[in-house]
Structure formats: C-alpha cells, structure tokens
C-alpha cells in the first residue's frame, strides 16, 4: 500500500497533554485544534487518532535558499508506512511535499522488491518551517533526509547502527539506493567509503565500469570527478546515508 500524502494521522502512543503532542510534532497546539475540532480537552488519550497534517489544494510547498541557510514554505510531515520506521519524537520530520512524495515512492518500491528485509530507520528531515537544525549545517530547506542502512538483524532502538562487514544487508541497501536514484529526483547521497565498498559487488552485477565510477566516489581516482558522483564519501556517514533531493521549478 502507498503512503497517504494528502493527510497524515497519528495514533497517540500514550496519554499526554495536547501541548506535549504538539511539541512532539514541532507544531502549535492551536494548529492541531484547527485540524481536529473534536479535540476539546487539554489531554489526548492513548490510541486516539489525531490529524497532524492535511494538504490544502492550491498551496505551494517549496525549498527556499541553500540547504545550509534556507527555509521551507508549506512543508509536510513524513507519513508512517510499511518498510520504514520514524522516531516517536518528530519536530524534524518535515520536508517539501516533493521530497516527501519522492522518498515515500522510493521506499514503497523498495519494500515491494525486498519484503523480507528489516525496515529502514528514518532520522532527521527538517523543522516545520525549516531553518537552523543543530548540529546539522544543512537540513534547513526540506530537501535533506538521514536514512539508516538496511541491517541484517532487527534493531528496536531509535539510533542508527554503525556498519561493519557482518551486520549490513548490502543487497537490500543497494536495492534502496537504486530506488532512490531511479526517478532522477536525488541530487546526491553522502555515504562512507566503507559502506560504498560493500555495495559495489551488487551494483557491478548490472553496471559497466564507467557507470560504477559515475555513482561511487570510492572508485573515482580523480578528486574533482569524485565531487560529481552520486554517492560521495563523507565523514560521519558509516551509520546512515544523507540523501539530498534536487530542487524543483517551484523552489527559490
């Protein structure tokens, strides 16, 4: 089943105040009241379904400025779905609608091809209005998202797990990268050299040497050419990949 991109509902996991629920989503409690007229109490109950977001026809969602100094206009929260896991605290789960659509499509397609793989952990996107998101230098304009690698063993924790030679499901991770690149909506993916090395044997099954070098920075000997590959080595990305989606015509 495809994720619902028109409305995002949240099933409340515990009894808590409406203000706490709003904080969990990085929203104002008045916004939640407007979306949920039936919310008359100051508390919400475990199991209660709350509308977090509804797309308003005619609104334009766009990225404004550079990833390290911009903001978002009319962002959307990323929805729950089969095949991926979001954190329970979600003030930074927002992106442009185009980013949400492209990522949800890629993850859904990946899940259809790898139904037995463990779900992918999703980390930081952007704040509801974008802007500074410490400690990140980017993640400001709704086009950046941190995605965990597909691990062999299930892990219930919310933190990403560092990749080793024995814990990475490299075939399924390469399958995820393939889906992310398939629609031409990704600008670049930041990924540690050690992870790239584990994916190359699977990519090589269907790609020429030239194609591999255009994707994997670890295979490109020329420093300037490495800056143009789709997968780029970057420190701190041995436990997750940082995916940056491309600008659209609506973005400024």
């Amino acid at each position: 089943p495809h994720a619902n991109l028109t409305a995002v509902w949240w099933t409340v996991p515990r009894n808590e105040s409406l203000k706490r629920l709003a904080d969990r989503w990085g929203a104002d409690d008045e916004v939640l009241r407007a979306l949920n007229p039936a919310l008359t109490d100051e508390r919400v109950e475990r199991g209660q379904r709350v509308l977090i977001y509804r797309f308003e026809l005619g609104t334009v969602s766009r990225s404004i400025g550079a990833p390290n100094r911009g903001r978002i206009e009319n962002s959307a929260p990323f929805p729950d779905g089969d095949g991926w896991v979001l954190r329970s605290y979600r003030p930074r789960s927002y992106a442009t609608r185009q980013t949400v659509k492209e990522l949800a499509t890629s993850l859904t397609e990946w899940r259809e091809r790898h139904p037995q793989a463990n779900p992918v952990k999703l980390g930081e996107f952007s704040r509801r209005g974008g802007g500074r998101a410490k400690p990140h230098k980017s993640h400001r304009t709704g086009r950046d998202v941190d995605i965990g690698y597909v691990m062999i063993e299930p892990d219930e924790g919310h933190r990403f797990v560092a990749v080793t030679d024995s814990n990475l499901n490299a075939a399924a991770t390469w399958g995820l990268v393939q889906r992310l690149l398939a629609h031409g909506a990704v600008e670049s993916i930041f990924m540690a050299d050690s992870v790239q090395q584990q994916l190359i044997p699977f990519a090589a099954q269907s790609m020429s040497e030239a194609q591999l070098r255009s994707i994997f920075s670890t295979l490109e000997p020329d420093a300037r050419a490495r800056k143009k590959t789709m997968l780029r080595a970057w420190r701190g990305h041995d436990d997750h990949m940082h995916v940056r989606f491309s600008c659209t015509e609506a973005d400024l």
Side-chain angles (χ1 to χ4, degrees):
H2 290 268
N4 185 352
L5 304 184
T6 302
V8 173
W9 292 85
W10 169 252
T11 301
V12 179
R14 61 181 66 87
N15 297 343
E16 61 186 6
S17 68
L18 182 59
K19 187 179 187 311
R20 173 61 179 166
L21 176 62
D23 288 343
R24 183 188 298 279
W25 283 91
D28 189 279
D29 53 350
E30 292 304 316
V31 171
L32 295 187
R33 289 185 190 279
L35 289 169
N36 302 270
L39 283 180
T40 55
D41 297 329
E42 291 300 318
R43 297 188 63 80
V44 288
E45 304 298 323
R46 178 181 178 182
Q48 188 173 350
R49 290 189 80 224
V50 178
L51 182 62
I52 302 296
Y53 164 85
R54 178 188 287 119
F55 172 63
E56 298 294 337
L57 197 63
T59 58
V60 178
S61 176
R62 58 186 175 183
S63 168
I64 300 175
N68 63 347
R69 61 183 63 184
R71 60 185 177 87
I72 319 171
E73 192 173 82
N74 296 319
S75 65
F78 201 78
D80 288 310
D82 181 37
W84 63 89
V85 178
L86 287 154
R87 295 170 178 172
S88 61
Y89 187 60
R90 304 184 182 183
R92 297 182 183 180
S93 64
Y94 293 84
T96 64
R97 273 185 58 81
Q98 182 66 17
T99 295
V100 170
K101 175 184 175 183
E102 293 292 346
L103 180 56
T105 298
S106 295
L107 287 170
T108 300
E109 291 176 349
W110 169 78
R111 192 56 167 174
E112 290 170 350
R113 290 164 173 77
H114 297 270
Q116 303 304 317
N118 284 312
V120 174
K121 290 182 182 178
L122 301 182
E124 303 267 76
F125 288 73
S126 297
R127 292 165 52 203
R128 190 163 174 260
R132 188 73 181 271
K134 293 181 179 181
H136 306 289
K137 289 184 172 64
S138 60
H139 285 269
R140 300 192 186 198
T141 61
R143 295 193 290 115
D144 295 293
V145 55
D146 291 336
I147 303 176
Y149 300 117
V150 188
M151 311 305 286
I152 292 175
E153 297 295 332
D155 177 28
E156 301 300 327
H158 71 275
R159 294 183 180 276
F160 293 131
V161 177
V163 164
T164 67
D165 291 338
S166 60
N167 67 2
L168 178 70
N169 185 336
T173 298
W174 170 242
L176 175 57
V177 172
Q178 280 184 301
R179 298 326 307 162
L180 287 167
L181 300 180
H183 303 288
V186 168
E187 180 180 303
S188 54
I189 299 176
F190 302 99
M191 176 184 291
D193 270 325
S194 59
V195 183
Q196 291 189 41
Q197 290 288 353
Q198 291 198 57
L199 303 191
I200 289 169
F202 296 93
Q205 295 174 13
S206 59
M207 289 186 168
S208 67
E209 181 65 27
Q211 288 174 317
L212 291 172
R213 285 177 55 178
S214 72
I215 292 177
F216 294 93
S217 65
T218 191
L219 291 176
E220 180 51 66
D222 182 76
R224 286 179 297 180
R226 283 198 295 270
K227 295 180 180 180
K228 298 179 180 179
T229 57
M230 290 303 300
L231 301 187
R232 303 180 195 177
W234 205 269
R235 287 182 60 188
H237 290 83
D238 61 346
D239 63 352
H240 74 280
M241 63 180 115
H242 178 132
V243 180
R244 176 165 296 158
F245 287 84
S246 303
C247 286
T248 67
E249 292 181 358
D251 297 327
L252 298 176

